Amino acid sequence: MQIFSVPAFFILFRETLEASIVLSVMLTLIDKIVEDRNSRRSMKRKAWAGVVSGVALSLATAAIFLSLYYTVAKQAWEKSEPLWEGVLGLIAVVLITLMAFSMIRVDTWREKWERKLTKVTLDAVNKEELNPEHEVGSRRRKWALFLIPFTVVVREGVEAVIFLGGIGLEGSGTAYPLPAVVGGACGVFIGYVLYRGSGRVALKAFLGAATLLLLVIAAGLFAGSVHELEEYTDNEHFLWKLRCCDPDGNNVWSLLQALVGWRNEATRGTLSAYIVYWVVVLLALLFLRYKWSREAARPATQDPPSPV
């Protein structure tokens, strides 16, 4: 019985991290902009209410989805399970790879969200100064501090459920509760570290290692998805089969299979898929590095709005 899914840990970690960064930016802006103590408390309560409501809705959605997924859906797909495992695995490969690329620039998320949220926070502070004929706009700004964290948390929660669906057909439902809790806690902790601005060198090293591990996981998942499609079409052409290193059973090879998709056999499709994946990833990383260097060299056309 599986009790800890490493891919699930990183999925929950990444989604929780962005939500915690958004909340930390919003709370920091409120502290900077709002002078009145009672107003600060009121605005922070709205932001926290949005977070709690978003978490509650995300958990309810995840519980319904996963309960249906591991009962009705999985039984309905039993006859064509290799096909569904292959298709959903390919979808998960794309999503996890995009997630890995986004984690490379985690240190820029705070600046991005600060630019987005400054105007919203200022509007919320000044809502009482609006004219009576702008009552609708005032009401909208009044709820902005609730709706922004609420929608961000719900969006990240839905993304996490989709990611888990992509990797979950081969696993057991018992493999997800623990990594969900641990990944969420780590995401909140790293968000707090970014909020405090400490340990940036160690944090960048950790995020770099996490990015590499996500790519390794996605590469193994890609090869495994191709194997499922080969099995469904009965089109397997084996290149080798090792007598050792069998992942069946409770051993280190089964752990490597769950983590990086290890197999003690290879086909033309799985080997080609693994090589092609890394070629595409390396080309994409070179392109992104070129793009980011161009963006860094380009002078800013407009300064972000001042928070004071």
Side-chain angles (χ1 to χ4, degrees):
M1 182 179 66
Q2 294 180 338
I3 61 173
F4 196 92
S5 169
V6 175
F9 165 80
F10 280 103
I11 288 170
L12 271 298
F13 167 74
R14 191 271 179 204
E15 304 304 329
T16 306
L17 177 59
E18 182 162 5
S20 64
I21 288 176
V22 173
L23 179 63
S24 69
V25 169
M26 181 170 284
L27 296 178
T28 301
L29 288 173
I30 291 173
D31 286 334
K32 288 182 179 179
I33 295 171
V34 184
E35 296 182 0
D36 183 68
R37 188 174 182 180
N38 293 329
S39 297
R40 281 202 305 270
R41 289 180 178 176
S42 176
M43 296 174 74
K44 287 184 177 181
R45 279 198 297 266
K46 290 177 184 176
W48 278 110
V51 172
V52 172
S53 301
V55 169
L57 182 57
S58 298
L59 290 176
T61 303
I64 294 172
F65 175 84
L66 293 176
S67 62
L68 293 174
Y69 185 77
Y70 284 100
T71 55
V72 179
K74 203 167 185 179
Q75 292 174 5
W77 296 342
E78 198 171 40
K79 294 182 179 179
S80 57
E81 186 172 333
L83 174 63
W84 285 107
E85 287 183 357
V87 172
L88 290 179
L90 293 176
I91 295 174
V93 167
V94 175
L95 296 176
I96 292 174
T97 303
L98 293 175
M99 180 192 302
F101 286 159
S102 70
M103 288 188 67
I104 298 175
R105 306 192 80 192
V106 163
D107 55 345
T108 67
W109 289 359
R110 182 174 176 82
E111 290 83 358
K112 178 192 74 173
W113 278 107
E114 188 165 354
R115 289 194 298 270
K116 289 183 178 181
L117 294 176
T118 297
K119 184 178 184 303
V120 173
T121 308
L122 285 171
D123 288 342
V125 173
N126 297 325
K127 68 180 185 299
E128 296 179 356
E129 300 177 5
L130 295 173
N131 295 326
E133 59 266 22
H134 294 105
E135 183 178 354
V136 175
S138 176
R139 189 179 299 113
R140 185 173 62 250
R141 291 173 173 83
K142 179 180 179 180
W143 285 98
L145 294 177
F146 171 88
L147 290 174
I148 290 176
F150 173 79
T151 53
V152 168
V153 170
V154 171
R155 185 194 71 190
E156 304 300 332
V158 170
E159 286 182 359
V161 170
I162 293 173
F163 291 155
L164 292 176
I167 65 173
L169 272 176
E170 293 183 352
S172 168
T174 59
Y176 298 104
L178 182 59
V181 173
V182 177
C186 289
V188 171
F189 174 74
I190 298 299
Y192 177 76
V193 171
L194 288 173
Y195 170 64
R196 300 296 297 180
S198 58
R200 286 189 174 273
V201 175
L203 182 60
K204 285 185 177 181
F206 169 79
L207 293 173
T211 299
L212 178 60
L213 183 55
L214 280 174
L215 293 174
V216 171
I217 290 171
L221 184 59
F222 185 44
S225 300
V226 171
H227 168 72
E228 296 298 336
L229 295 176
E230 287 180 326
E231 186 178 282
Y232 179 75
T233 58
D234 196 20
N235 188 32
E236 294 178 289
H237 299 282
F238 287 96
L239 298 176
W240 66 73
K241 289 186 179 181
L242 302 177
R243 294 182 180 179
C244 67
C245 316
D246 189 354
D248 292 336
N250 295 322
N251 51 43
V252 66
W253 302 109
S254 63
L255 176 62
L256 288 175
Q257 183 184 48
L259 181 60
V260 298
W262 164 257
R263 296 172 57 83
N264 63 331
E265 57 189 26
T267 65
R268 295 177 187 173
T270 57
L271 182 61
S272 300
Y274 198 82
I275 294 173
V276 167
Y277 177 84
W278 283 111
V279 170
V280 172
V281 165
L282 290 175
L283 291 175
L285 288 173
L286 289 174
F287 171 77
L288 289 174
R289 182 178 180 182
Y290 171 76
K291 179 183 176 182
W292 293 335
S293 63
R294 290 284 300 273
E295 290 177 354
R298 186 184 307 138
T301 57
Q302 182 179 355
D303 293 332
S306 173
V308 293

XYZ file of all heavy atoms in Angstrom, residues 12 41 59 67-68 73 139 146 172 178 183 189 196 201 215 228 230 242 252 265 269 279 281 296:
188
model
N 1.313 19.780 -4.650
C 0.692 20.558 -3.571
C 1.624 21.651 -3.074
O 1.177 22.747 -2.712
C 0.312 19.639 -2.416
C -1.079 19.000 -2.452
C -2.157 20.077 -2.402
C -1.278 18.112 -3.655
N -7.022 45.929 10.538
C -7.577 44.666 11.015
C -8.766 44.229 10.167
O -8.901 43.047 9.832
C -8.008 44.824 12.481
C -6.848 44.933 13.464
C -7.384 45.093 14.876
N -6.295 45.146 15.858
C -6.486 45.349 17.155
N -7.724 45.507 17.631
N -5.454 45.385 17.981
N -10.974 21.989 -0.825
C -10.988 20.683 -0.178
C -12.260 19.909 -0.515
O -12.215 18.686 -0.753
C -10.858 20.847 1.343
C -9.499 21.325 1.856
C -9.552 21.540 3.368
C -8.407 20.327 1.512
N -13.056 10.987 -4.701
C -13.937 9.873 -4.364
C -14.590 9.290 -5.611
O -14.689 8.062 -5.757
C -15.015 10.330 -3.374
O -15.831 11.338 -3.958
N -15.012 10.144 -6.536
C -15.568 9.655 -7.798
C -14.490 9.022 -8.661
O -14.720 8.025 -9.345
C -16.239 10.809 -8.555
C -17.498 11.397 -7.922
C -17.968 12.620 -8.711
C -18.604 10.352 -7.860
N -15.253 6.358 -11.803
C -14.471 6.575 -13.022
C -13.461 5.453 -13.247
O -13.340 4.929 -14.352
C -13.754 7.922 -12.949
N -18.836 48.980 -3.922
C -19.117 47.638 -3.423
C -18.136 46.621 -4.006
O -17.686 45.712 -3.328
C -20.563 47.252 -3.769
C -21.025 45.974 -3.100
C -22.468 45.642 -3.450
N -23.365 46.695 -2.998
C -24.044 47.491 -3.810
N -23.913 47.371 -5.119
N -24.839 48.422 -3.332
N -11.407 40.288 -0.432
C -11.885 38.924 -0.186
C -11.775 38.068 -1.445
O -11.324 36.911 -1.401
C -13.346 38.961 0.288
C -13.995 37.604 0.355
C -13.904 36.834 1.496
C -14.705 37.100 -0.736
C -14.499 35.573 1.554
C -15.303 35.854 -0.687
C -15.204 35.089 0.465
N -2.548 4.498 -5.567
C -3.607 4.214 -4.609
C -4.055 5.511 -3.960
O -3.273 6.446 -3.788
C -3.080 3.241 -3.544
O -3.975 3.153 -2.464
N -1.106 12.261 2.935
C 0.116 12.691 3.617
C 0.928 13.687 2.794
O 1.318 14.749 3.322
C 0.969 11.465 3.993
C 2.259 11.765 4.770
C 1.943 12.493 6.067
C 3.022 10.462 5.056
N 3.214 18.760 1.660
C 3.478 19.710 0.579
C 2.865 21.067 0.851
O 3.487 22.106 0.609
N 5.526 27.450 4.405
C 6.794 27.810 5.037
C 7.696 28.584 4.068
O 8.268 29.618 4.437
C 7.512 26.557 5.534
C 8.892 26.825 6.063
C 9.073 27.437 7.282
C 10.015 26.473 5.321
C 10.343 27.693 7.773
C 11.288 26.722 5.795
C 11.456 27.336 7.026
N 9.667 37.079 4.459
C 10.640 37.682 5.361
C 11.916 38.099 4.641
O 12.702 38.888 5.168
C 11.009 36.692 6.474
C 9.837 36.254 7.325
C 9.222 37.382 8.093
N 10.163 37.957 9.050
C 9.882 38.962 9.860
N 8.683 39.537 9.809
N 10.777 39.421 10.689
N 19.713 32.516 -0.837
C 20.653 31.644 -1.544
C 20.266 30.184 -1.358
O 20.164 29.412 -2.321
C 22.089 31.886 -1.048
C 23.037 30.895 -1.704
C 22.516 33.320 -1.350
N 11.310 17.692 -13.358
C 11.591 17.332 -14.750
C 11.926 15.847 -14.869
O 11.513 15.180 -15.834
C 12.728 18.187 -15.299
C 12.420 19.678 -15.468
C 13.665 20.447 -15.888
C 11.301 19.893 -16.500
N 2.169 2.612 -21.793
C 0.752 2.253 -21.677
C 0.060 2.281 -23.038
O -0.765 1.404 -23.343
C 0.062 3.212 -20.705
C 0.564 3.157 -19.273
C 0.348 1.808 -18.615
O -0.560 1.075 -19.061
O 1.076 1.494 -17.656
N 1.545 1.824 -25.929
C 2.058 0.664 -26.669
C 1.337 -0.618 -26.235
O 0.981 -1.464 -27.067
C 3.561 0.507 -26.429
C 4.425 1.534 -27.133
C 5.896 1.307 -26.851
O 6.230 0.864 -25.733
O 6.717 1.568 -27.749
N 15.877 -6.552 -18.206
C 16.846 -6.902 -17.179
C 16.238 -7.887 -16.188
O 15.089 -7.723 -15.773
C 17.318 -5.647 -16.434
C 17.969 -4.547 -17.283
C 18.313 -3.354 -16.402
C 19.214 -5.061 -17.995
N 13.904 -0.984 -3.312
C 14.342 0.337 -3.737
C 13.925 0.622 -5.174
O 13.676 1.781 -5.549
C 15.870 0.458 -3.571
C 16.589 -0.492 -4.522
C 16.337 1.882 -3.794
N 12.899 -2.737 -18.081
C 12.799 -3.118 -19.492
C 12.585 -1.858 -20.312
O 12.128 -0.841 -19.790
C 11.641 -4.093 -19.710
C 10.303 -3.548 -19.235
C 9.205 -4.600 -19.259
O 9.529 -5.803 -19.153
O 8.029 -4.220 -19.389
N 9.680 2.673 -28.125
C 8.887 3.857 -27.804
C 9.300 4.522 -26.511
O 9.447 5.747 -26.453
N 15.564 16.330 -24.788
C 15.984 17.243 -25.862
C 15.054 18.447 -25.914
O 15.503 19.607 -25.997
C 16.010 16.504 -27.215
C 16.203 17.500 -28.357
C 17.119 15.464 -27.247
N 13.139 19.612 -23.492
C 13.303 20.412 -22.273
C 14.547 21.292 -22.362
O 14.504 22.484 -22.011
C 13.374 19.485 -21.043
C 13.905 20.240 -19.823
C 11.996 18.933 -20.720
N 15.495 41.233 -19.201
C 16.304 41.917 -18.188
C 17.072 43.088 -18.776
O 17.279 44.113 -18.112
C 17.272 40.930 -17.537
